[in-house]
Amino acid sequence: MRTSPARRSRSPQPGGRIVAGLIGADPAETVLRYAFGEAERYGAAVTVVVTGPASTADDQFVRDVARRWADKYPAVDATVTVRRSVDAVITLAAASRQADLLVVAAGTDPRSAAMVAALARLAHSAVRIVDGVPDRRCPVGPGGR
């Protein structure tokens, strides 16, 4: 896990917001695991923002995965927003204005890695870049830590 250098000291505030940013069809499990864990730890809410190109089936898959994580953390207020039509970096940077923490996966290819690097520079909140992202189609959900 990496944190953007300029924003290392900020942690989510009680009653704050964590944005779990999902770009394209990238894996969701590790981002959601980290975001929900931090939200429970700090008493924050989670907004899952799904961006970039992907199919309707991918959108439904992410909604289902987010719902499973929300079920595992019932004390965490969670919402899912899908914004595929606007640039992913712009969308997530804008979402970070309302957040204490933005969590994204490390890029899995050069394009997504460049997007994450740009996002780390443009975000208005602390950014956590989580590594070790498992295959998103893996049937292991929140119970399979």
Side-chain angles (χ1 to χ4, degrees), residues 32-57:
L32 295 174
R33 177 181 296 117
Y34 187 84
F36 275 92
E38 289 295 284
E40 181 178 62
R41 179 177 171 197
Y42 290 103
V46 172
T47 300
V48 180
V49 180
V50 185
T51 65
S55 69
T56 303

Side-chain angles (χ1 to χ4, degrees), residues 54-128:
S55 69
T56 303
D58 286 325
D59 291 347
Q60 188 57 51
F61 176 80
V62 171
R63 287 180 193 277
D64 291 343
V65 171
R67 187 183 70 250
R68 288 196 314 264
W69 281 100
D71 289 347
K72 181 173 180 171
Y73 292 92
V76 174
D77 180 32
T79 57
V80 178
T81 303
V82 178
R83 298 281 185 257
R84 298 281 189 195
S85 61
V86 179
D87 178 80
V89 173
I90 292 170
T91 300
L92 292 174
S96 74
R97 286 183 180 275
Q98 313 303 311
D100 295 305
L101 176 65
L102 172 63
V103 181
V104 293
T108 57
D109 58 58
R111 182 175 180 267
S112 62
M115 292 169 73
V116 170
L119 186 55
R121 287 189 310 275
L122 297 172
H124 301 276
S125 66
V127 177
R128 298 274 163 70

